[in-house]
Amino acid sequence: MTDRRPSRTDHRTDAIMRAALDLALELGYAKLSIEAVANRAGVGKHTVYRRWSSRGLLFLDAVLSLNTEGLSHSNTGDVVADLRETMIKAVDVLGRPPWGPLYQALIGEAQHDPEVAAALNQRFIEPQTADTLARLKAAKDQGELAPDFDLDLAFDMLSGPLYYRLLITQQPITHDYIDRVLQAAFAGMSPRPPTR
Amino acid sequence: MTDRRPSRTDHRTDAIMRAALDLALELGYAKLSIEAVANRAGVGKHTVYRRWSSRGLLFLDAVLSLNTEGLSHSNTGDVVADLRETMIKAVDVLGRPPWGPLYQALIGEAQHDPEVAAALNQRFIEPQTADTLARLKAAKDQGELAPDFDLDLAFDMLSGPLYYRLLITQQPITHDYIDRVLQAAFAGMSPRPPTR
């Protein structure tokens, strides 16, 4: 970046991402074009391309701008409650209308565009995984988790079913569903008495 | 269908689906067209459209033709071993090259095309879920599963992490990963003695 005038740049960046989201909601992602986004945002195509080399990367930033705040975990001493809070927040933003279908479209794009897939992982999935792992490690240190609990797999076990619902069965991801996933994922978390 | 000459129809159908797979492997799904598939299969475009109303639905049938056989569960009396066998077979076909990227592309298409999403569920996901559930019910009847094991969620807990890896992190789905998922999903399956 040669041109460094932060406030104007940020203002334009926000306007472009907002225009991308508005147009995707109106037209669907399939019909989104850099040209239409530039027109809606009142900037030239070059201004958009200077920052984003493809429609997919622009759309990624636009979708992530919705929720990068506020998805880190609390530590109240109750690991399941803390994970539940973050899962509900994430699903409320990305797992249901109006933004859920745009997040679906973004992941659909990631199946065809390796740059979008890599950026999605670096910018969103990996930080979320690390934050979840840190919360789980704290729980293990506090004796909340059984010694054989697979910490490194936990994010996949918790978010896998949510993505499965979003992308495959496309059924609503209700709070009840989140509770059942937590229950199943943590069924073997702690020592249990024999149930006979 | 007005024209009912089974053997010729089946032969053509197979040739068209095979052509779709070959072309998708060569060019990638994004560049697949009904016209190119018809040319490769040596039939007219109308012959293709008579059976499939869209590229996505043709591609779905072509991908499912790879594996609809052989993914039902055995019952050897060991539910985890039987699930493992089917998961490995499914991942070996749909979860790694050469067909894995085509299955990814198909699911990508399902994010933009509700007809493809619905057909994927009706033709593949729902029968697989039902077969898994039947195997789990037998295990419950045989006393292999704890009374509070969430049968209806089990398919999501087992396949969710596999889809998450295929579609989101895009890391290899190794047999070791499948074993860890099974271990985590069944950690609370049966009564455990206190570990203290």
Side-chain angles (χ1 to χ4, degrees):
Chain A
M1 297 207 208
T2 49
D3 185 17
R4 270 253 173 238
R5 278 167 298 182
S7 65
R8 170 181 275 190
T9 303
D10 288 353
H11 174 74
R12 274 193 184 167
T13 298
D14 287 349
I16 293 165
M17 294 195 296
R18 187 73 227 175
L21 291 173
D22 287 347
L23 281 169
L25 282 179
E26 287 167 30
L27 307 172
Y29 176 69
K31 289 184 184 158
L32 196 70
S33 72
I34 294 266
E35 186 155 16
V37 171
N39 283 343
R40 176 68 65 97
V43 302
K45 273 207 303 189
H46 274 309
T47 306
V48 180
Y49 278 116
R50 202 178 300 143
R51 186 172 173 119
W52 293 281
S53 59
S54 75
R55 176 182 81 149
L57 292 173
L58 162 58
F59 191 55
L60 174 75
D61 272 358
V63 169
L64 294 187
S65 76
L66 293 168
N67 79 326
T68 41
E69 308 294 316
L71 290 184
S72 59
H73 290 83
S74 309
N75 187 342
T76 65
D78 178 342
V79 67
V80 175
D82 294 343
L83 292 168
R84 180 177 191 272
E85 184 194 13
T86 299
M87 288 165 79
I88 284 178
K89 277 185 193 165
V91 166
D92 283 351
V93 180
L94 293 176
R96 60 178 104 260
W99 309 116
L102 299 190
Y103 191 48
Q104 282 180 256
L106 178 66
I107 298 168
E109 183 77 2
Q111 307 317 311
H112 308 294
D113 185 337
E115 259 193 325
V116 171
L120 174 65
N121 275 284
Q122 284 157 23
R123 307 271 304 285
F124 184 53
I125 301 296
E126 287 166 17
Q128 275 308 113
T129 307
D131 192 73
T132 304
L133 187 59
R135 181 62 192 86
L136 286 163
K137 278 190 172 140
K140 198 164 194 177
D141 291 345
Q142 290 158 5
E144 270 196 288
L145 298 178
D148 61 348
F149 187 80
D150 192 341
L151 286 180
D152 290 318
L153 189 70
F155 190 75
D156 298 28
M157 294 301 292
L158 292 171
S159 60
L162 308 186
Y163 280 104
Y164 175 74
R165 228 173 216 226
L166 183 72
L167 303 170
I168 308 291
T169 68
Q170 303 188 351
Q171 292 173 306
I173 308 173
T174 60
H175 293 185
D176 176 61
Y177 184 77
I178 292 171
D179 285 336
R180 288 171 63 200
V181 169
L182 281 163
Q183 170 67 31
F186 286 93
M189 154 181 96
S190 57
R192 310 196 313 162
T195 59
R196 179 155 295 268
Chain B
M1 297 208 209
T2 50
D3 185 18
R4 269 252 174 240
R5 278 167 297 182
S7 65
R8 170 181 276 188
T9 303
D10 289 352
H11 174 75
R12 275 191 183 168
T13 298
D14 287 350
I16 293 165
M17 293 194 299
R18 187 73 226 176
L21 291 174
D22 287 347
L23 282 168
L25 282 179
E26 288 166 28
L27 307 173
Y29 176 70
K31 289 184 185 160
L32 196 70
S33 72
I34 294 266
E35 188 155 14
V37 171
N39 283 343
R40 175 68 65 97
V43 302
K45 273 206 304 189
H46 274 308
T47 305
V48 180
Y49 277 117
R50 204 178 299 143
R51 186 172 172 121
W52 293 282
S53 60
S54 75
R55 177 181 80 147
L57 292 172
L58 162 58
F59 191 56
L60 174 75
D61 272 358
V63 170
L64 294 188
S65 76
L66 294 169
N67 80 326
T68 41
E69 308 294 316
L71 289 184
S72 59
H73 290 83
S74 309
N75 188 342
T76 64
D78 179 342
V79 67
V80 175
D82 294 343
L83 292 168
R84 180 177 192 273
E85 184 194 14
T86 299
M87 287 164 80
I88 284 177
K89 277 185 193 165
V91 166
D92 283 351
V93 180
L94 293 176
R96 58 177 105 260
W99 308 118
L102 299 190
Y103 190 48
Q104 281 180 255
L106 178 66
I107 298 168
E109 184 76 2
Q111 307 316 311
H112 307 295
D113 185 337
E115 259 193 324
V116 171
L120 174 65
N121 275 284
Q122 284 157 24
R123 308 271 304 286
F124 184 55
I125 301 297
E126 286 166 18
Q128 275 308 114
T129 307
D131 193 75
T132 305
L133 188 59
R135 181 63 193 86
L136 287 163
K137 277 191 173 141
K140 198 164 194 177
D141 291 346
Q142 288 158 6
E144 271 196 288
L145 298 178
D148 62 347
F149 187 79
D150 191 341
L151 287 180
D152 291 319
L153 188 70
F155 191 74
D156 298 28
M157 294 301 292
L158 293 171
S159 60
L162 308 186
Y163 280 104
Y164 174 74
R165 229 174 214 225
L166 182 72
L167 303 170
I168 307 292
T169 67
Q170 303 188 351
Q171 292 174 307
I173 308 173
T174 59
H175 293 186
D176 175 61
Y177 184 76
I178 292 171
D179 285 337
R180 288 170 64 200
V181 169
L182 280 164
Q183 170 68 32
F186 286 94
M189 154 181 94
S190 56
R192 309 196 314 163
T195 59
R196 180 152 293 269

